[in-house]
Amino acid sequence: MAEIIRMPKMSDTMLEGVIANWLKKEGDVIKSGDIIAEVETDKATMELENYEDGTLLYIGVKVGEAVPVDGIIAIVGTPGEDYSALLAAPAAASAPAPVVAAETPAAAPVAETAAPTPTIDLSGVKAVAVRMPKMSDTMVEGVIAKWLKAVGDVIKNGDIIAEVETDKATMELENYEDGTLLYIGAKEGQGVIVDGIIAIVGEPGANYQLILDAEAAPKSAAPAPVATTPAPAPVASAPAPVITKAPIAEEKIASKPGAELKASPLARALAKEKGYNLNWITGTGEGGRITKADVEEYNPNSGGANANFTGGVESFEDIPNSQMRKTIARRLSESKFSAPEFYLTMEINMDKAMEARVSMNEVLPVKISFNDMVIKATALSLAKHPKVNSYWMEDRIRVNKHVHIGMAVAVEDGLLVPVIRFASEKSIAQISAEAKDLGGKAKNKLLQPKDWEGNTFTVSNLGMFGIDQFTSIINSPESCILAVGGIKETVGVKNGQFYATNIMKLTLTCDHRVVDGATGAAFLLTLKQYLEDPIKMFL
């Protein structure tokens, strides 16, 4: 008898898994204990073990696709066995039509409403949908940054067909089907939800519209309650939702004027270097695409002051939110409105730290920054005050014995937090080298999941931007975050005498559910001792 293989819950926070690699294929004979696939969870890539003896009859998920916990991944049974009932079982539960029919005089309209879904037979369609894969643990949707293939192109398994902007980085979208690119469902700059259709690949002439109709069919089931109206005529027009699909897509495009801007990668890079806004530049390439030559020839003074100016036209630009910006908004809003925060600020005398940095840079193989010194001192302080290095987990507090410091890095689209692991055990030279490497990867969108996961505490430094003092929002589930201001030369007083000194302000944001005022103050005091007398960090 055929058995379903479902997506197991592989971590305490896992909601879904992404098939990273299939190690078996349909038709293979497998046994209990065999590893049939690799699954990417929110924590790591793990092996999926099979517990049934038989033949792998059906694989329901392609590589790169996400499956919710307990969702169907595959079916194992005997060769030739009919397993269609196992796949149809979940759909049967979503048929409330008979209940609606009980309230209407005639059952016929309900039957007509339900009919379109089963009549969409895709077995003869020689085409396959390419869907948006889940490329990061927090990804909800991806934005098509650039298409590398066009409708009509012949593509193969392994071809890179597009670049997708996620909330973490811009990544390549790999194709897994041989055929012709028949349909592109999202323009450059448009967002597609995870598992949404991006494109369709198949044989030339294949009726791919049926795939799009099948995708829309579950949504068109919503009008069924309309069958309670006296007249059955509206039910007879059930295909109408399919007709309305095109106007909806047009509205989405029209609501994102920024998505229509076309520019080559070289043009974008050059415009950024020169500080030009691409919206100011007229593109001479195909379809109005801005080229490198357009940027080079652009004269920013052409829009300068005009002595004869008599009036102007108000204008604005709507810029679609990037995936990174959406995730920042969602995660920090959750933290801000769920954690009862309080703030502790302390002044640090940086005179000795400035002298120590000069000495260290004379002997160490890498240049040490003040941020490196703050990270090192913070890591050592966290080791002494583990309560500050904790997670709030609703039913418990997890006190982390290891110190993984997240280093907030400003990038063009927002903020990334790469992680320096085991920072309390590393030398300041190791921290400096790693911070520079991770910072470079963040700015170039080259970070991988292992680079941003697992932080137990975060340091955010805006001192290099001339900010004296600020507060940060906690990066949940962490309990605290440290905001670092710039070093400012000021006047101090000692024994009635004025003298020049250098002060830096640190502000600790604390989740009061975990950290009390005295606990946070004790941590800051230890951190102050390390920074005001740096030799203590090396004893």
Side-chain angles (χ1 to χ4, degrees):
M1 180 177 177
E3 297 287 345
I4 292 174
I5 299 177
R6 298 183 181 275
M7 175 63 71
K9 190 176 179 70
M10 295 176 166
S11 77
D12 57 341
T13 57
M14 177 178 171
L15 298 178
E16 65 181 11
V18 175
I19 301 298
N21 186 26
W22 278 106
L23 305 179
K24 302 291 183 180
K25 62 182 184 297
E26 289 183 2
D28 284 357
V29 176
I30 56 178
K31 297 181 180 180
S32 176
D34 285 354
I35 305 302
I36 61 172
E38 294 175 348
V39 175
E40 179 189 340
T41 73
D42 58 338
K43 303 293 186 183
T45 298
M46 307 173 71
E47 295 178 334
L48 177 65
E49 186 175 351
N50 169 57
Y51 296 99
E52 301 292 338
D53 293 339
T55 298
L56 190 55
L57 303 177
Y58 168 81
I59 289 177
V61 187
K62 294 179 182 178
V63 171
E65 288 187 340
V67 186
V69 169
D70 207 35
I72 296 176
I73 301 175
I75 295 178
V76 177
T78 56
E81 184 176 0
D82 183 8
Y83 55 82
S84 58
L86 295 177
L87 297 176
S94 62
V99 178
V100 177
E103 299 180 10
T104 56
V110 177
E112 289 179 22
T113 303
T117 301
T119 56
I120 301 179
D121 181 10
L122 302 180
S123 60
V125 180
K126 297 181 179 180
V128 177
V130 178
R131 297 181 180 273
M132 176 64 72
K134 190 176 179 71
M135 295 175 166
S136 80
D137 55 337
T138 57
M139 178 177 169
V140 177
E141 69 176 11
V143 170
I144 302 298
K146 182 182 180 183
W147 278 106
L148 305 179
K149 301 291 182 180
V151 171
D153 287 356
V154 176
I155 56 178
K156 296 180 180 180
N157 181 2
D159 284 354
I160 305 301
I161 61 173
E163 294 176 354
V164 175
E165 178 194 344
T166 73
D167 57 335
K168 303 289 187 181
T170 298
M171 306 174 74
E172 294 178 334
L173 177 66
E174 186 174 352
N175 169 59
Y176 297 98
E177 300 292 336
D178 294 339
T180 299
L181 187 57
L182 304 176
Y183 167 81
I184 287 178
K187 295 184 178 181
E188 292 182 358
Q190 278 190 298
V192 182
I193 60 171
V194 169
D195 205 38
I197 292 179
I198 302 174
I200 295 178
V201 177
E203 294 185 1
N207 186 10
Y208 64 82
Q209 183 61 44
L210 289 178
I211 296 177
L212 299 176
D213 292 347
E215 184 78 2
K219 298 177 183 178
S220 65
V226 178
T228 60
T229 58
V235 180
S237 61
V242 177
I243 297 173
T244 62
K245 181 172 56 180
I248 291 174
E250 290 173 0
E251 289 177 9
K252 289 182 178 178
I253 295 170
S255 67
K256 294 184 176 182
E260 300 298 321
L261 181 67
K262 296 180 180 180
S264 70
L266 279 176
R268 291 181 185 275
L270 185 59
K272 180 180 178 182
E273 178 184 328
K274 292 179 175 291
Y276 295 167
N277 186 330
L278 286 173
N279 289 280
W280 302 339
I281 302 174
T282 301
T284 60
E286 183 179 355
R289 190 179 186 86
I290 299 171
T291 66
K292 179 185 176 185
D294 295 329
V295 179
E296 290 175 335
E297 295 171 4
Y298 173 68
N299 179 11
N301 295 322
S302 60
N306 184 351
N308 299 318
F309 176 76
T310 58
V313 178
E314 293 182 350
S315 64
F316 62 89
E317 175 188 7
D318 286 337
I319 301 175
N321 285 327
S322 66
Q323 298 312 295
M324 184 185 301
R325 180 55 57 191
K326 290 178 183 178
T327 299
I328 290 172
R330 176 171 54 84
R331 292 287 299 275
L332 295 187
S333 294
E334 290 171 357
S335 175
K336 184 67 177 177
F337 295 113
S338 63
E341 297 178 348
F342 68 92
Y343 313 96
L344 301 172
T345 300
M346 183 173 282
E347 288 189 349
I348 310 296
N349 187 305
M350 294 294 287
D351 291 344
K352 289 186 178 180
M354 295 173 73
E355 294 174 1
R357 177 172 175 262
V358 172
S359 299
M360 285 188 285
N361 284 335
E362 291 176 353
V363 296
L364 292 178
V366 293
K367 294 297 182 182
I368 305 300
S369 69
F370 289 114
N371 196 55
D372 300 331
M373 298 178 73
V374 170
I375 290 175
K376 174 65 176 178
T378 299
L380 294 174
S381 301
L382 288 171
K384 291 188 175 183
H385 301 275
K387 197 68 173 288
V388 179
N389 194 45
S390 300
Y391 290 159
W392 171 259
M393 305 188 72
E394 297 300 336
D395 61 337
R396 64 194 183 279
I397 294 173
R398 175 171 294 172
V399 179
N400 296 298
K401 302 299 178 66
H402 57 281
V403 177
H404 291 349
I405 292 189
M407 178 184 66
V409 177
V411 295
E412 182 179 0
D413 296 328
L415 190 72
L416 290 175
V417 186
V419 181
I420 298 176
R421 302 180 183 278
F422 304 104
S424 61
E425 302 172 34
K426 291 179 177 176
S427 69
I428 195 167
Q430 287 177 300
I431 289 174
S432 178
E434 195 168 332
K436 289 178 175 61
D437 179 59
L438 290 171
K441 286 183 177 180
K443 291 182 184 299
N444 293 312
K445 294 189 175 182
L446 297 176
L447 291 175
Q448 297 301 307
K450 63 181 178 62
D451 297 323
W452 67 64
E453 294 175 344
N455 41 303
T456 60
F457 184 93
T458 299
V459 172
S460 180
N461 191 342
L462 292 179
M464 66 285 293
F465 297 105
I467 301 300
D468 294 336
Q469 180 183 348
F470 67 104
T471 58
S472 292
I473 299 174
I474 295 170
N475 189 12
S476 179
E478 296 173 15
S479 299
C480 298
I481 184 171
L482 184 70
V484 182
I487 299 174
K488 184 177 182 180
E489 187 175 17
T490 186
V491 176
V493 181
K494 186 175 182 180
N495 298 326
Q497 299 296 316
F498 294 103
Y499 65 98
T501 188
N502 295 277
I503 297 297
M504 179 176 71
K505 291 184 179 179
L506 304 178
T507 299
L508 183 69
T509 303
C510 304
D511 183 343
H512 216 325
R513 295 173 298 182
V514 182
V515 177
D516 297 324
T519 304
F523 164 79
L524 282 178
L525 183 59
T526 301
L527 180 55
K528 178 183 177 74
Q529 292 169 350
Y530 279 129
L531 289 174
E532 290 192 341
D533 193 4
I535 191 65
K536 293 180 179 178
M537 289 193 281
F538 307 101
L539 297 178

